[in-house]
Amino acid sequence: MATHLTKLDLILNTITDGVLVVDSHGVVLYANQAAESLLARTPLVGQSLAVPVNTGKNSYQDINLIRPSGIAWAEMRSAPLEWDGRPGYVIALRDITERKSAEEEIKRLAFYDALTKLPNRRLLQERLNHSIDVERREGKQLALLMLDLDRFKAVNDSLGHQAGDALLQQVAERITNRLRDVDMVARLGGDEFVVLLEDIAYPDDAARVAEKIITDLSKPFQLPQSDDVRIGASIGISLYPQHGDNSEMLLDYADAALYHAKDSGRGCFAYFSEDLTISARERIDMENRLRRAIQQQELLLFYQPQIDIASGRIIGAEALVHWQDPNEGLIGPSRFIPIAEETSLIVEIGEWVLREACRQGRLWLDMKLPSLTMAVNVSSHQFQRSDISTLAARVLAETRFPAGQLELEITESGLMENQDKTTAILNSLHEQGIHLAIDDFGTGYSSLAYLKSFSLDVLKIDKSFIAEIPHNTDDMEIAATIVAMGHTLGFKVLAEGVETPEQLAFLSKTGCDIYQGFIKSPALPAQKFAELLCKQK
């Protein structure tokens, strides 16, 4: 046997796989050099092997090995063998540490967010499905918290993407530190996170966690670019089983609740409710109907006169999109534009509105009606996501409407989203001769410094500052200040929502240039507007 063993040694010590023979108690009877190297133990013969051997049959398994240099992985195959008349097993070990590391890396990339190292949407979905199954069997409940950062874009735009990435990493850390070990936080992308709270005793438990997270995230962040960065968070909450019995419903309803929290002023949380359920269903239904409406050409434009205060003459028209639904009738923009903005539909609608307004403006010019400015609203989503400058140039060329009579209205908040990009777009539009207006002024967060850097022509005072004139002195002071500020910067100032002679008299006294509102006329269909325009020829 010794001669045979010596020959076997010579053969087995030339291969890279480890080979062991153990008796029925796991004591090593034979080991080649590769096995001793892999297990980092020498000599092995005579020692008990702390490796599980599947007795009684051939087996195959992966095992991890703790070595001084760290954890390694081996592929182990074993089979029964009689050795010197004693029952035992032959074991073959192959080092698969590199393969395991590669598999773990693939798994990490597939299931974890690269920036924050948090689970991603895919892993969240799997965990949530599993958690629902467990809670269903055990009669327990869980909560899903959808979290969105407030003012994150402002940090990203002002301090740069590197600062934004560092901020997201610190946010992930703060949320994780607030949770129990059994809970989970995932990053869906951008500045959106989801927290899964398993086995909660009461629905209010979710609110308490949400409040603590909001408090934690409202504290200053220390970034290399700034040591006092302040943001906030809004959170939407859905509950199992109260609000839904599957992962898709819980995610959708938490997202709906998040929108409710944002509409409530941000920096707060909101539960999904039956009212929100109905609202969500109505929103989805309207989105589907709106898609059909675009295809079936059910959209139409109304035009509200814009009047020069000094002369009392109509000098402009604001194009406002309406929806002539075959079942519900005429639907105003406030009902469907917010839904369009949540989807890509706003880009398609915005392009149609611009083209239709310019087409109609060209018709009025051909009819020899008094010349006027055509004001068209541009959604902040459309402004940032599409090439509005190229679109405007193409539409003006197609319709032959003069660029100098087109005025694009962009909301104050829309201007501030990405200031460098905004400046470039506005300059490009201005170079074409297009006039530019800032809509809903006073409701956003722009500053004089930024307004001075933008190529603008008109400031539109939001109607919320006009509605209570002359009864609200604060609104009167705000409106007068905006007029004075606009003139100082070289802008014309237009007041929206003027409904009473007292409001018009006040605006005239402050030096406001233009107004629009029901005191003159509501928004009218094209033919009615043309008739009104003809009366002042």
Side-chain angles (χ1 to χ4, degrees):
M1 184 69 184
T3 302
H4 294 300
L5 187 55
T6 301
K7 292 180 179 179
L8 185 63
D9 255 343
L10 292 173
I11 296 171
L12 294 182
N13 283 325
T14 62
I15 64 175
T16 57
D17 288 353
V19 178
L20 298 164
V21 177
V22 299
D23 65 16
S24 58
H25 301 291
V27 176
V28 178
L29 304 176
Y30 171 81
N32 70 348
Q33 293 175 2
E36 291 181 337
S37 175
L38 184 61
L39 297 174
R41 294 166 62 184
T42 183
L44 277 173
V45 174
Q47 297 189 36
S48 294
L49 186 65
V51 172
V53 178
N54 194 347
T55 60
K57 59 180 180 180
N58 297 343
S59 71
Y60 165 81
Q61 58 187 311
D62 290 348
I63 59 171
N64 59 354
L65 307 169
I66 299 177
R67 302 188 299 194
S69 59
I71 296 178
W73 282 90
E75 174 186 280
M76 186 180 80
R77 299 175 183 270
S78 62
L81 175 73
E82 187 176 294
W83 186 267
D84 275 350
R86 290 181 291 173
Y89 301 90
V90 62
I91 299 172
L93 297 172
R94 174 167 293 176
D95 191 337
I96 58 169
T97 304
E98 289 188 5
R99 191 188 82 193
K100 279 290 185 179
S101 297
E103 290 174 355
E104 288 298 316
E105 179 64 11
I106 292 171
K107 181 180 178 182
R108 187 185 66 79
L109 293 172
F111 291 100
Y112 291 86
D113 173 54
L115 177 65
T116 63
K117 313 305 180 188
L118 293 177
N120 61 14
R121 183 186 294 271
R122 182 177 175 184
L123 184 54
L124 169 69
Q125 193 88 36
E126 291 189 8
R127 172 75 177 271
L128 182 54
N129 288 332
H130 174 73
S131 298
I132 290 172
D133 289 341
V134 172
E135 308 293 22
R136 182 182 291 118
R137 287 195 304 269
E138 298 181 1
K140 297 178 180 179
Q141 56 186 336
L142 61 80
L144 204 63
L145 280 58
M146 184 82 70
L147 183 150
D148 190 63
L149 301 182
D150 301 331
R151 299 183 295 279
F152 174 75
K153 285 187 176 179
V155 175
N156 223 20
D157 292 342
S158 60
L159 298 181
H161 293 294
Q162 186 175 358
D165 288 349
L167 179 59
L168 290 173
Q169 290 171 332
Q170 291 187 30
V171 166
E173 183 178 3
R174 288 192 188 183
I175 298 173
T176 302
N177 291 340
R178 174 55 62 186
L179 303 178
R180 304 169 299 176
D181 290 340
V182 296
D183 301 326
M184 176 185 189
V185 56
R187 181 186 177 214
L188 299 190
D191 60 341
E192 197 168 44
F193 297 81
V194 171
V195 173
L196 171 59
L197 302 177
E198 294 188 346
D199 189 18
I200 59 172
Y202 305 100
D204 288 346
D205 291 345
R208 281 187 279 273
V209 174
E211 282 184 324
K212 290 174 182 176
I213 291 176
I214 290 171
T215 299
D216 289 346
L217 298 184
S218 67
K219 296 174 182 176
F221 287 84
Q222 311 298 317
L223 302 178
Q225 298 82 350
S226 176
D227 60 1
D228 188 20
V229 173
R230 295 176 182 270
I231 58 169
S234 302
I235 296 178
I237 304 171
S238 63
L239 302 171
Y240 170 85
Q242 295 92 322
H243 296 147
D245 61 0
N246 62 67
S247 59
E248 290 78 12
M249 291 175 66
L250 291 176
L251 284 165
D252 287 345
Y253 292 166
D255 192 50
L258 173 60
Y259 275 100
H260 183 58
K262 289 181 177 180
D263 291 340
S264 300
R266 299 179 179 268
C268 62
F269 68 88
Y271 279 95
F272 186 79
S273 66
E274 184 59 30
D275 290 341
L276 283 175
T277 305
I278 295 171
S279 176
R281 289 172 180 169
E282 289 178 348
R283 189 169 65 249
I284 292 171
D285 176 65
M286 180 165 281
E287 179 185 337
N288 293 332
R289 288 164 51 205
L290 185 56
R291 291 183 188 277
R292 290 195 298 269
I294 296 170
Q295 296 171 355
Q296 296 172 10
Q297 300 181 342
E298 295 172 4
L299 300 181
L300 67 160
L301 290 185
F302 279 38
Y303 303 87
Q304 184 165 44
Q306 296 178 333
I307 300 93
D308 177 71
I309 290 181
S311 66
R313 294 181 63 82
I314 299 173
I315 60 171
E318 180 179 6
L320 299 170
V321 63
H322 289 64
W323 173 11
Q324 188 64 52
D325 184 75
N327 299 317
E328 193 174 338
L330 192 66
I331 302 175
S334 62
R335 284 271 311 281
F336 64 89
I337 289 299
I339 295 172
E341 288 183 331
E342 294 175 14
T343 67
S344 59
L345 292 177
I346 192 61
V347 174
E348 189 173 354
I349 292 174
E351 181 173 342
W352 179 87
V353 169
L354 179 60
R355 182 172 282 103
E356 178 62 17
C358 290
R359 185 196 67 80
Q360 185 61 63
R362 180 72 251 177
L363 284 178
W364 286 336
L365 287 174
D366 294 342
M367 293 167 61
K368 307 303 182 185
L369 294 178
S371 179
L372 51 75
T373 297
M374 181 66 74
V376 177
N377 291 283
V378 178
S379 161
S380 60
H381 299 274
Q382 182 187 9
F383 187 74
Q384 295 291 343
R385 297 176 188 172
S386 65
D387 189 348
I388 189 66
S389 181
T390 300
L391 172 64
R394 185 169 67 247
V395 169
L396 290 172
E398 290 174 1
T399 61
R400 298 182 299 107
F401 187 68
Q405 291 180 236
L406 175 61
E407 181 176 280
L408 298 182
E409 298 183 358
I410 301 99
T411 62
E412 185 178 4
S413 57
L415 286 175
M416 304 305 294
E417 281 188 12
N418 186 330
Q419 290 149 25
D420 290 340
K421 181 179 179 182
T422 295
T423 300
I425 295 172
L426 295 181
N427 288 340
S428 177
L429 292 169
H430 233 254
E431 288 170 1
Q432 296 183 49
I434 297 169
H435 289 194
L436 300 167
I438 180 169
D439 199 11
D440 300 336
F441 186 77
T443 61
Y445 50 91
S446 62
S447 67
L448 284 173
Y450 287 124
L451 285 180
K452 286 168 61 179
S453 68
F454 291 147
S455 299
L456 298 170
D457 302 284
V458 179
L459 291 187
K460 296 188 70 174
I461 305 175
D462 186 72
K463 61 185 178 182
S464 63
F465 298 114
I466 306 298
E468 296 187 25
I469 293 175
H471 309 293
N472 188 315
T473 56
D474 288 341
D475 285 349
M476 295 172 69
E477 290 178 3
I478 291 171
T481 300
I482 293 175
V483 172
M485 181 181 68
H487 288 164
T488 299
L489 295 173
F491 305 146
K492 293 284 188 179
V493 181
L494 183 153
E496 296 181 290
V498 180
E499 298 183 355
T500 68
E502 292 82 5
Q503 293 168 350
L504 183 55
F506 171 79
L507 292 167
S508 178
K509 182 179 177 181
T510 63
C512 185
D513 303 288
I514 311 164
Y515 77 91
Q516 65 185 72
F518 280 22
I519 188 174
K520 177 67 177 181
S521 171
L524 300 169
Q527 183 176 345
K528 294 286 186 182
F529 184 91
E531 293 171 1
L532 184 65
L533 201 58
C534 283
K535 293 178 182 178
Q536 69 175 33
K537 288 180 67 175

